[in-house]
Coordinates of all heavy atoms in Angstrom, one line a residue:
M1 N 90.4 107.7 80.6 CA 89.0 107.7 81.0 C 88.9 108.8 82.0 O 89.3 108.7 83.1 CB 88.7 106.4 81.6 CG 87.4 106.4 82.2 SD 86.9 105.1 83.3 CE 87.3 103.6 82.6
R2 N 88.2 109.9 81.7 CA 88.0 111.0 82.6 C 86.5 111.0 83.0 O 85.6 110.9 82.1 CB 88.3 112.3 81.9 CG 89.6 112.8 82.3 CD 89.7 114.3 82.2 NE 90.5 114.7 83.2 CZ 91.8 115.1 83.0 NH1 92.2 115.2 81.8 NH2 92.5 115.5 84.0
P3 N 86.2 111.1 84.3 CA 84.8 111.2 84.6 C 84.2 112.5 84.2 O 84.9 113.5 84.0 CB 84.9 111.1 86.2 CG 86.2 111.6 86.5 CD 87.1 111.2 85.4
R4 N 82.9 112.6 84.1 CA 82.2 113.8 83.9 C 82.4 114.8 85.0 O 82.7 114.3 86.1 CB 80.7 113.6 83.7 CG 80.3 112.8 82.4 CD 78.8 112.7 82.2 NE 78.1 112.6 83.4 CZ 77.6 111.4 83.9 NH1 77.8 110.3 83.1 NH2 76.9 111.3 85.0
R5 N 82.4 116.0 84.8 CA 82.6 117.0 85.8 C 81.7 116.8 87.0 O 80.5 116.6 86.8 CB 82.3 118.4 85.2 CG 82.6 119.5 86.2 CD 82.5 120.8 85.6 NE 83.8 121.2 85.1 CZ 84.0 122.2 84.2 NH1 83.0 122.9 83.8 NH2 85.2 122.4 83.8
G6 N 82.3 116.7 88.2 CA 81.5 116.5 89.4 C 81.2 115.0 89.7 O 80.7 114.7 90.7
V7 N 81.6 114.1 88.8 CA 81.5 112.7 89.0 C 82.8 112.1 89.4 O 83.8 112.2 88.6 CB 80.8 112.0 87.8 CG1 80.8 110.5 88.0 CG2 79.5 112.5 87.5
K8 N 82.9 111.4 90.5 CA 84.2 110.9 91.0 C 84.4 109.5 90.4 O 83.5 108.7 90.4 CB 84.2 110.8 92.5 CG 85.5 110.4 93.1 CD 85.4 110.5 94.6 CE 86.8 110.0 95.1 NZ 86.8 110.1 96.6
S9 N 85.6 109.2 89.9 CA 85.9 107.8 89.4 C 86.0 106.9 90.6 O 86.3 107.3 91.7 CB 87.3 107.8 88.7 OG 87.3 108.6 87.6
S10 N 85.6 105.6 90.3 CA 85.7 104.6 91.3 C 87.2 104.3 91.7 O 88.1 104.5 90.8 CB 85.0 103.3 90.9 OG 85.9 102.6 90.0
P11 N 87.5 103.9 92.9 CA 88.8 103.6 93.3 C 89.4 102.5 92.4 O 90.6 102.6 92.1 CB 88.7 103.1 94.7 CG 87.5 103.7 95.3 CD 86.6 103.8 94.1
V12 N 88.6 101.6 91.9 CA 89.2 100.6 91.0 C 89.6 101.2 89.7 O 90.7 100.9 89.2 CB 88.1 99.4 90.8 CG1 88.6 98.5 89.7 CG2 87.8 98.7 92.1
D13 N 88.8 102.1 89.1 CA 89.2 102.7 87.9 C 90.4 103.6 88.0 O 91.3 103.6 87.2 CB 88.0 103.6 87.4 CG 86.8 102.8 86.9 OD1 87.0 101.6 86.5 OD2 85.7 103.4 86.8
V14 N 90.5 104.3 89.2 CA 91.7 105.1 89.4 C 92.9 104.2 89.6 O 94.0 104.5 89.0 CB 91.5 106.0 90.7 CG1 92.8 106.7 91.1 CG2 90.4 107.0 90.5
A15 N 92.8 103.1 90.3 CA 93.9 102.1 90.5 C 94.4 101.6 89.1 O 95.6 101.6 88.8 CB 93.5 101.0 91.3
K16 N 93.4 101.3 88.2 CA 93.8 100.7 86.9 C 94.6 101.8 86.1 O 95.6 101.4 85.5 CB 92.5 100.3 86.1 CG 91.9 99.1 86.6 CD 90.6 98.8 85.9 CE 90.0 97.5 86.4 NZ 88.7 97.2 85.7
Q17 N 94.2 103.0 86.2 CA 94.9 104.1 85.5 C 96.4 104.2 85.9 O 97.3 104.2 85.1 CB 94.3 105.4 85.7 CG 93.0 105.7 85.0 CD 92.5 107.1 85.3 OE1 92.5 107.6 86.4 NE2 92.0 107.8 84.2
F18 N 96.6 104.3 87.2 CA 98.0 104.5 87.7 C 98.8 103.2 87.6 O 100.0 103.3 87.3 CB 97.9 105.0 89.2 CG 97.6 106.4 89.3 CD1 96.3 106.8 89.5 CD2 98.5 107.4 89.0 CE1 95.9 108.1 89.6 CE2 98.2 108.7 89.1 CZ 96.9 109.1 89.3
V19 N 98.2 102.0 87.8 CA 99.0 100.8 87.7 C 99.4 100.5 86.3 O 100.5 100.2 86.0 CB 98.2 99.6 88.3 CG1 98.9 98.3 88.0 CG2 98.0 99.8 89.8
T20 N 98.5 100.8 85.3 CA 98.7 100.6 83.9 C 99.8 101.5 83.5 O 100.7 101.1 82.7 CB 97.5 100.8 83.1 OG1 96.5 99.9 83.5 CG2 97.7 100.6 81.6
K21 N 99.8 102.8 83.9 CA 100.8 103.7 83.5 C 102.2 103.6 84.3 O 103.2 104.2 84.0 CB 100.3 105.2 83.7 CG 99.2 105.5 82.8 CD 98.7 106.9 83.1 CE 97.5 107.3 82.3 NZ 96.9 108.6 82.6
K22 N 102.1 102.7 85.3 CA 103.3 102.5 86.2 C 103.8 103.8 86.8 O 105.0 104.0 86.8 CB 104.4 101.8 85.4 CG 104.0 100.4 84.9 CD 105.1 99.7 84.3 CE 104.6 98.3 83.8 NZ 105.6 97.5 83.2
I23 N 102.9 104.6 87.3 CA 103.2 105.8 88.0 C 102.5 105.9 89.3 O 101.4 105.2 89.5 CB 102.9 107.1 87.2 CG1 101.5 107.2 86.8 CG2 103.8 107.1 85.9 CD1 101.0 108.5 86.1
D24 N 103.0 106.6 90.2 CA 102.3 106.8 91.5 C 101.4 108.0 91.4 O 101.6 109.0 90.7 CB 103.3 107.1 92.6 CG 104.1 105.9 93.0 OD1 103.6 104.7 92.8 OD2 105.2 106.0 93.5
M25 N 100.3 107.9 92.2 CA 99.4 109.0 92.3 C 100.0 110.2 93.0 O 100.8 110.0 93.9 CB 98.2 108.5 93.1 CG 97.1 109.4 93.3 SD 95.7 108.6 94.2 CE 94.4 109.5 93.6
P26 N 99.8 111.4 92.6 CA 100.4 112.5 93.3 C 99.8 112.6 94.7 O 98.7 112.2 95.0 CB 99.9 113.8 92.5 CG 98.9 113.3 91.6 CD 98.9 111.8 91.5
G27 N 100.6 113.3 95.6 CA 100.2 113.5 97.0 C 101.0 112.7 98.0 O 100.5 112.6 99.2
F28 N 102.1 112.1 97.6 CA 102.9 111.3 98.5 C 104.4 111.7 98.4 O 104.8 112.1 97.4 CB 102.8 109.8 98.2 CG 101.4 109.2 98.3 CD1 100.6 109.2 97.2 CD2 100.9 108.8 99.5 CE1 99.3 108.7 97.3 CE2 99.7 108.3 99.6 CZ 98.8 108.3 98.5
E29 N 105.1 111.5 99.5 CA 106.5 111.8 99.6 C 107.2 110.7 100.5 O 106.6 110.3 101.5 CB 106.7 113.2 100.2 CG 108.1 113.7 100.1 CD 108.2 115.1 100.6 OE1 107.4 116.0 100.0 OE2 109.0 115.4 101.5
V30 N 108.3 110.3 100.1 CA 109.1 109.4 100.9 C 110.0 110.2 101.8 O 110.7 111.1 101.4 CB 110.0 108.4 100.0 CG1 110.8 107.5 100.9 CG2 109.1 107.6 99.1
E31 N 109.9 109.9 103.1 CA 110.7 110.6 104.1 C 111.4 109.6 105.0 O 111.0 108.5 105.2 CB 109.8 111.5 104.9 CG 109.3 112.7 104.2 CD 108.5 113.7 105.1 OE1 108.5 113.5 106.3 OE2 107.8 114.6 104.6
N32 N 112.5 110.1 105.6 CA 113.2 109.3 106.6 C 112.5 109.5 108.0 O 112.3 110.6 108.4 CB 114.7 109.7 106.7 CG 115.4 108.7 107.6 OD1 115.1 107.6 107.7 ND2 116.4 109.3 108.4
I33 N 112.1 108.4 108.6 CA 111.4 108.5 109.9 C 112.2 107.7 110.9 O 112.1 106.5 111.0 CB 110.0 107.8 109.7 CG1 109.2 108.5 108.6 CG2 109.2 107.9 111.0 CD1 107.9 107.8 108.2
P34 N 113.0 108.5 111.7 CA 113.8 107.8 112.7 C 112.9 107.2 113.8 O 111.9 107.7 114.1 CB 114.7 109.0 113.3 CG 114.6 110.1 112.3 CD 113.3 109.9 111.6
P35 N 113.3 106.1 114.4 CA 114.5 105.3 114.1 C 114.2 104.2 113.1 O 115.0 103.3 112.8 CB 114.8 104.7 115.5 CG 113.4 104.4 116.1 CD 112.6 105.6 115.6
T36 N 113.0 104.1 112.5 CA 112.6 103.0 111.6 C 113.2 103.0 110.2 O 113.3 102.0 109.6 CB 111.1 102.8 111.6 OG1 110.5 104.0 111.1 CG2 110.5 102.5 112.9
G37 N 113.3 104.2 109.6 CA 113.8 104.3 108.3 C 112.8 105.1 107.4 O 112.1 105.9 107.8
R38 N 112.8 104.7 106.1 CA 112.0 105.4 105.1 C 110.5 105.0 105.3 O 110.1 103.9 105.7 CB 112.4 105.0 103.7 CG 113.7 105.5 103.4 CD 114.1 105.3 101.9 NE 113.7 103.9 101.5 CZ 113.6 103.5 100.3 NH1 113.8 104.4 99.3 NH2 113.3 102.3 100.0
G39 N 109.6 106.0 105.0 CA 108.2 105.9 105.1 C 107.5 106.7 104.1 O 108.1 107.7 103.6
V40 N 106.3 106.4 103.7 CA 105.5 107.2 102.8 C 104.6 108.1 103.5 O 103.8 107.6 104.4 CB 104.8 106.3 101.8 CG1 103.9 107.1 100.8 CG2 105.7 105.4 101.0
I41 N 104.7 109.4 103.3 CA 103.9 110.4 103.9 C 102.9 111.0 102.9 O 103.3 111.3 101.8 CB 104.8 111.5 104.5 CG1 105.9 111.0 105.4 CG2 104.0 112.6 105.2 CD1 105.4 110.2 106.6
T42 N 101.6 111.2 103.4 CA 100.7 111.8 102.5 C 100.9 113.4 102.5 O 101.2 113.9 103.6 CB 99.2 111.5 102.8 OG1 99.0 112.0 104.1 CG2 99.0 110.0 102.7
Q43 N 100.7 114.0 101.4 CA 100.8 115.5 101.3 C 99.5 116.1 101.1 O 99.4 117.3 101.0 CB 101.7 115.8 100.1 CG 103.1 115.2 100.3 CD 103.8 115.8 101.5 OE1 103.9 117.0 101.7 NE2 104.4 114.9 102.3
K44 N 98.4 115.3 101.1 CA 97.1 115.9 100.9 C 96.1 114.9 101.6 O 96.4 113.8 101.8 CB 96.7 116.1 99.4 CG 96.6 114.8 98.6 CD 96.2 115.1 97.2 CE 95.7 113.8 96.5 NZ 95.1 114.1 95.2
P45 N 94.9 115.4 101.9 CA 93.9 114.5 102.5 C 93.3 113.5 101.5 O 93.1 113.9 100.3 CB 92.8 115.4 103.1 CG 93.0 116.7 102.3 CD 94.4 116.8 101.8
F46 N 93.0 112.4 101.9 CA 92.3 111.4 101.1 C 91.0 110.9 101.8 O 90.9 111.0 103.0 CB 93.2 110.1 100.9 CG 94.4 110.4 100.0 CD1 95.6 110.8 100.6 CD2 94.3 110.4 98.7 CE1 96.7 111.0 99.8 CE2 95.4 110.6 97.8 CZ 96.6 111.0 98.4
Q47 N 90.1 110.4 101.0 CA 88.8 109.9 101.6 C 88.9 108.4 101.8 O 89.7 107.7 101.2 CB 87.7 110.2 100.6 CG 87.5 111.7 100.3 CD 87.0 112.4 101.5 OE1 86.1 112.0 102.2 NE2 87.6 113.6 101.7
N48 N 88.1 108.0 102.8 CA 88.1 106.5 103.1 C 87.6 105.8 101.8 O 86.7 106.2 101.1 CB 87.0 106.3 104.2 CG 87.0 104.9 104.7 OD1 88.0 104.1 104.4 ND2 85.9 104.5 105.3
G49 N 88.4 104.8 101.4 CA 88.1 104.0 100.2 C 88.8 104.5 99.0 O 88.7 103.8 97.9
D50 N 89.5 105.6 99.0 CA 90.3 106.1 97.9 C 91.5 105.1 97.6 O 92.0 104.5 98.5 CB 91.0 107.4 98.2 CG 90.0 108.6 98.1 OD1 88.8 108.4 97.6 OD2 90.4 109.7 98.4
F51 N 91.8 105.0 96.3 CA 93.0 104.3 95.9 C 94.2 105.1 96.3 O 94.2 106.4 96.0 CB 93.0 104.0 94.4 CG 94.3 103.5 93.9 CD1 94.7 102.2 94.1 CD2 95.2 104.4 93.2 CE1 96.0 101.8 93.7 CE2 96.4 103.9 92.8 CZ 96.8 102.6 93.0
L52 N 95.2 104.6 96.9 CA 96.4 105.3 97.3 C 97.6 105.0 96.4 O 98.0 105.7 95.6 CB 96.7 105.1 98.7 CG 95.5 105.6 99.7 CD1 95.9 105.3 101.1 CD2 95.2 107.0 99.5
L53 N 98.2 103.8 96.6 CA 99.4 103.4 96.0 C 99.3 101.9 95.6 O 98.7 101.1 96.3 CB 100.6 103.6 96.8 CG 100.9 105.0 97.2 CD1 102.0 105.0 98.3 CD2 101.5 105.8 96.0
H54 N 100.0 101.5 94.6 CA 100.2 100.1 94.3 C 101.5 99.7 94.9 O 102.6 100.2 94.5 CB 100.2 99.9 92.7 CG 100.4 98.5 92.3 ND1 101.3 98.1 91.4 CD2 99.8 97.4 92.8 CE1 101.2 96.8 91.2 NE2 100.3 96.3 92.1
Y55 N 101.4 98.7 95.8 CA 102.6 98.3 96.5 C 103.1 97.0 95.9 O 102.4 96.0 96.0 CB 102.3 98.1 98.0 CG 103.5 98.0 98.9 CD1 104.1 99.1 99.4 CD2 104.0 96.8 99.2 CE1 105.2 99.0 100.2 CE2 105.1 96.6 100.1 CZ 105.7 97.8 100.6 OH 106.8 97.7 101.4
H56 N 104.2 97.0 95.2 CA 104.7 95.8 94.5 C 105.3 94.8 95.6 O 105.9 95.2 96.5 CB 105.8 96.1 93.6 CG 105.4 97.1 92.5 ND1 104.8 96.7 91.3 CD2 105.4 98.4 92.5 CE1 104.5 97.7 90.6 NE2 104.9 98.8 91.3
G57 N 105.1 93.6 95.4 CA 105.7 92.6 96.2 C 104.9 91.3 96.4 O 103.7 91.2 95.9
Q58 N 105.5 90.4 97.0 CA 104.9 89.1 97.2 C 104.0 89.1 98.4 O 104.3 89.6 99.5 CB 106.0 88.0 97.4 CG 105.5 86.6 97.5 CD 106.6 85.6 97.6 OE1 107.8 86.0 97.7 NE2 106.3 84.4 97.7
L59 N 102.8 88.4 98.3 CA 101.9 88.3 99.4 C 102.2 87.0 100.1 O 102.3 85.9 99.5 CB 100.4 88.2 98.9 CG 99.3 88.1 99.9 CD1 99.3 89.4 100.8 CD2 98.0 87.9 99.2
L60 N 102.5 87.1 101.4 CA 103.0 85.9 102.2 C 101.9 85.6 103.3 O 101.3 86.5 103.8 CB 104.3 86.3 102.9 CG 105.4 86.7 102.1 CD1 106.6 87.2 102.9 CD2 105.9 85.6 101.1
T61 N 101.8 84.3 103.6 CA 101.0 84.0 104.8 C 101.6 84.6 106.0 O 102.8 85.0 106.0 CB 100.9 82.5 104.9 OG1 102.2 81.9 105.3 CG2 100.3 81.8 103.7
W62 N 100.9 84.6 107.1 CA 101.4 85.2 108.3 C 102.6 84.4 108.8 O 103.6 84.9 109.2 CB 100.3 85.2 109.4 CG 100.7 86.0 110.6 CD1 101.1 85.5 111.8 CD2 100.6 87.4 110.7 NE1 101.4 86.5 112.6 CE2 101.1 87.7 112.0 CE3 100.3 88.4 109.8 CZ2 101.1 89.0 112.5 CZ3 100.3 89.7 110.3 CH2 100.8 90.0 111.6
E63 N 102.5 83.0 108.7 CA 103.6 82.2 109.1 C 104.9 82.4 108.3 O 106.0 82.4 108.8 CB 103.2 80.7 109.1 CG 102.1 80.3 110.0 CD 100.7 80.8 109.6 OE1 100.5 81.1 108.4 OE2 99.9 81.0 110.5
E64 N 104.7 82.5 106.9 CA 105.9 82.8 106.1 C 106.5 84.1 106.4 O 107.8 84.2 106.5 CB 105.4 82.8 104.6 CG 105.0 81.4 104.0 CD 104.4 81.6 102.7 OE1 103.6 82.5 102.4 OE2 104.7 80.7 101.8
G65 N 105.7 85.1 106.7 CA 106.3 86.4 107.0 C 107.0 86.4 108.3 O 108.1 87.0 108.4
D66 N 106.5 85.7 109.3 CA 107.2 85.6 110.6 C 108.5 84.9 110.4 O 109.5 85.3 111.0 CB 106.3 84.8 111.6 CG 105.3 85.6 112.3 OD1 105.4 86.9 112.3 OD2 104.4 85.0 112.9
R67 N 108.6 83.8 109.6 CA 109.8 83.1 109.4 C 110.9 84.0 108.8 O 112.0 84.0 109.2 CB 109.6 81.8 108.6 CG 109.1 80.6 109.4 CD 109.2 79.3 108.6 NE 108.4 79.3 107.4 CZ 107.1 79.0 107.3 NH1 106.5 78.7 108.4 NH2 106.5 79.0 106.2
L68 N 110.5 84.7 107.7 CA 111.4 85.6 107.0 C 111.9 86.7 108.0 O 113.0 87.1 108.0 CB 110.7 86.3 105.8 CG 110.7 85.5 104.5 CD1 109.9 86.2 103.5 CD2 112.2 85.3 104.1
E69 N 111.0 87.3 108.8 CA 111.3 88.4 109.7 C 112.3 87.9 110.7 O 113.2 88.6 111.1 CB 110.0 88.9 110.3 CG 110.2 90.2 111.0 CD 110.6 91.4 110.1 OE1 110.4 91.3 108.9 OE2 111.1 92.4 110.7
E70 N 112.1 86.7 111.2 CA 113.1 86.1 112.2 C 114.5 85.9 111.6 O 115.5 86.2 112.3 CB 112.5 84.8 112.8 CG 111.4 85.0 113.7 CD 110.8 83.6 114.1 OE1 111.4 82.6 113.8 OE2 109.7 83.7 114.8
R71 N 114.5 85.5 110.4 CA 115.8 85.2 109.7 C 116.5 86.5 109.3 O 117.7 86.7 109.4 CB 115.6 84.4 108.5 CG 115.6 82.9 108.8 CD 115.7 82.1 107.5 NE 114.4 82.1 106.9 CZ 114.1 82.0 105.6 NH1 115.1 82.0 104.8 NH2 112.9 82.1 105.1
N72 N 115.7 87.5 108.7 CA 116.3 88.7 108.1 C 115.3 89.8 108.1 O 114.5 89.9 107.2 CB 116.7 88.4 106.7 CG 117.4 89.6 106.0 OD1 117.9 90.5 106.7 ND2 117.3 89.6 104.7
S73 N 115.3 90.6 109.2 CA 114.4 91.7 109.3 C 114.8 92.9 108.4 O 115.8 93.5 108.6 CB 114.3 92.2 110.7 OG 113.4 93.3 110.7
T74 N 114.2 93.1 107.2 CA 114.5 94.1 106.3 C 113.8 95.4 106.6 O 114.2 96.5 106.1 CB 114.2 93.7 104.8 OG1 112.8 93.6 104.7 CG2 115.0 92.4 104.5
G75 N 112.7 95.3 107.2 CA 111.8 96.5 107.4 C 111.0 96.8 106.2 O 110.3 97.8 106.2
F76 N 111.1 96.0 105.2 CA 110.3 96.3 103.9 C 109.2 95.3 103.8 O 108.9 94.8 102.8 CB 111.2 96.2 102.7 CG 112.3 97.3 102.7 CD1 113.6 97.0 103.0 CD2 111.9 98.6 102.5 CE1 114.6 98.0 103.0 CE2 112.9 99.6 102.5 CZ 114.2 99.3 102.7
R77 N 108.5 95.1 104.9 CA 107.3 94.2 104.9 C 106.3 95.0 105.7 O 106.6 95.7 106.6 CB 107.6 92.9 105.6 CG 108.6 92.1 104.9 CD 108.8 90.7 105.6 NE 109.9 90.1 105.0 CZ 111.2 90.0 105.5 NH1 111.4 90.5 106.7 NH2 112.1 89.4 104.8
F78 N 105.0 94.8 105.4 CA 104.0 95.3 106.2 C 102.8 94.3 106.3 O 102.7 93.4 105.5 CB 103.6 96.7 105.7 CG 102.8 96.7 104.4 CD1 101.4 96.8 104.4 CD2 103.5 96.8 103.2 CE1 100.7 96.8 103.3 CE2 102.8 96.9 102.0 CZ 101.4 96.9 102.1
F79 N 102.0 94.5 107.3 CA 100.9 93.6 107.6 C 99.6 94.1 106.9 O 99.3 95.3 107.0 CB 100.7 93.5 109.1 CG 102.0 93.5 109.9 CD1 102.5 94.6 110.5 CD2 102.7 92.3 109.9 CE1 103.7 94.5 111.2 CE2 103.9 92.2 110.6 CZ 104.3 93.3 111.3
I80 N 98.9 93.2 106.4 CA 97.6 93.5 105.8 C 96.6 92.4 106.1 O 97.0 91.3 106.5 CB 97.7 93.7 104.2 CG1 98.1 92.4 103.6 CG2 98.6 94.8 103.8 CD1 97.9 92.4 102.0
K81 N 95.3 92.7 105.9 CA 94.3 91.7 106.0 C 93.8 91.5 104.6 O 93.4 92.5 103.9 CB 93.2 92.2 106.9 CG 92.3 91.1 107.5 CD 91.5 91.6 108.6 CE 91.1 90.4 109.5 NZ 90.4 90.9 110.6
F82 N 93.9 90.3 104.1 CA 93.5 90.0 102.7 C 92.5 88.8 102.7 O 92.9 87.7 103.2 CB 94.8 89.7 101.9 CG 94.5 89.3 100.4 CD1 94.0 90.3 99.6 CD2 94.7 88.0 100.0 CE1 93.8 90.0 98.2 CE2 94.4 87.7 98.6 CZ 94.0 88.7 97.8
K83 N 91.3 89.0 102.2 CA 90.3 88.0 102.2 C 90.1 87.4 103.6 O 89.9 86.2 103.8 CB 90.6 86.9 101.2 CG 90.6 87.4 99.7 CD 90.8 86.3 98.7 CE 90.8 86.9 97.3 NZ 90.9 85.9 96.3
G84 N 90.1 88.3 104.6 CA 89.8 87.9 106.0 C 90.9 87.3 106.7 O 90.8 86.9 107.8
K85 N 92.1 87.1 106.1 CA 93.3 86.5 106.7 C 94.4 87.5 106.9 O 94.6 88.4 106.1 CB 93.8 85.4 105.8 CG 92.8 84.2 105.7 CD 93.4 83.1 104.9 CE 92.4 82.0 104.7 NZ 93.0 80.9 103.9
R86 N 95.1 87.4 108.0 CA 96.2 88.2 108.3 C 97.4 87.8 107.4 O 97.7 86.6 107.3 CB 96.7 88.2 109.7 CG 95.7 88.7 110.7 CD 96.1 88.8 112.1 NE 97.0 87.7 112.5 CZ 97.8 87.7 113.5 NH1 97.8 88.7 114.3 NH2 98.6 86.7 113.8
C87 N 98.0 88.7 106.7 CA 99.1 88.4 105.8 C 100.2 89.4 105.9 O 100.0 90.5 106.5 CB 98.6 88.4 104.3 SG 97.3 87.3 103.9
W88 N 101.3 89.2 105.3 CA 102.4 90.1 105.1 C 102.6 90.4 103.7 O 102.3 89.6 102.8 CB 103.7 89.4 105.5 CG 103.9 89.1 107.0 CD1 103.2 88.3 107.7 CD2 104.9 89.7 107.8 NE1 103.7 88.2 109.0 CE2 104.8 89.1 109.1 CE3 106.0 90.6 107.7 CZ2 105.6 89.4 110.2 CZ3 106.8 90.9 108.7 CH2 106.6 90.3 110.0
K89 N 103.0 91.6 103.4 CA 103.3 92.0 102.0 C 104.8 92.3 102.0 O 105.3 93.1 102.8 CB 102.5 93.3 101.6 CG 102.7 93.6 100.2 CD 101.9 92.7 99.3 CE 101.9 93.3 97.9 NZ 101.2 92.4 96.9
E90 N 105.5 91.6 101.2 CA 107.0 91.7 101.0 C 107.3 92.7 99.9 O 106.9 92.5 98.8 CB 107.6 90.3 100.7 CG 109.0 90.3 100.4 CD 109.9 90.4 101.7 OE1 109.4 90.3 102.8 OE2 111.1 90.8 101.5
A91 N 108.1 93.7 100.2 CA 108.4 94.7 99.3 C 109.4 94.2 98.3 O 110.2 93.4 98.6 CB 108.9 96.0 100.0
E92 N 109.3 94.8 97.1 CA 110.3 94.5 96.0 C 111.0 95.8 95.8 O 110.4 96.9 95.7 CB 109.6 94.0 94.7 CG 109.0 92.7 94.9 CD 108.4 92.2 93.6 OE1 108.3 93.0 92.6 OE2 107.9 91.1 93.5
A93 N 112.3 95.8 95.6 CA 113.1 97.0 95.3 C 112.9 97.3 93.9 O 112.7 96.6 93.0 CB 114.5 96.8 95.7

């Protein structure tokens, strides 16, 4: 699905394209960021509201994420706000 020239696809349509094809959108690079480890760096500017990446993993409540982090800090979790609630996103390898 290609938009007409000069018409931008919605972030939802863009997300569906990349998630369905199981590929990442161009414009990102994984780099080592001392002292924390690997991180995703953008290689081009994006607009507010653009689809960026599909992050695979389990959505955890804040309490579940805290318990896991206390037991085993992997560094592969990040914090998000989902439906107005603070949550953790647990990465999958």
Side-chain angles (χ1 to χ4, degrees):
M1 169 196 316
R2 259 209 148 104
R4 291 187 322 261
R5 183 175 272 168
V7 176
K8 187 175 178 182
S9 294
S10 78
V12 172
D13 290 337
V14 174
K16 286 178 183 177
Q17 282 182 321
F18 284 96
V19 171
T20 301
K21 293 178 183 176
K22 297 183 180 183
I23 60 172
D24 288 332
M25 183 175 206
F28 298 92
E29 188 172 306
V30 176
E31 291 184 8
N32 188 34
I33 305 171
T36 55
R38 293 185 315 162
V40 178
I41 307 297
T42 62
Q43 301 296 313
K44 67 177 194 171
F46 291 95
Q47 299 294 316
N48 188 19
D50 283 352
F51 169 75
L52 300 178
L53 296 168
H54 180 228
Y55 195 87
H56 301 271
Q58 183 179 3
L59 184 63
L60 306 172
T61 66
W62 193 260
E63 294 76 22
E64 291 170 320
D66 275 345
R67 280 194 297 275
L68 275 175
E69 192 65 17
E70 286 173 11
R71 276 190 283 145
N72 180 25
S73 179
T74 65
F76 295 107
R77 296 183 188 103
F78 70 95
F79 318 102
I80 63 171
K81 201 168 206 175
F82 180 70
K83 296 186 178 181
K85 295 182 180 179
R86 294 184 330 160
C87 300
W88 289 65
K89 188 74 173 177
E90 173 75 16
E92 291 179 355

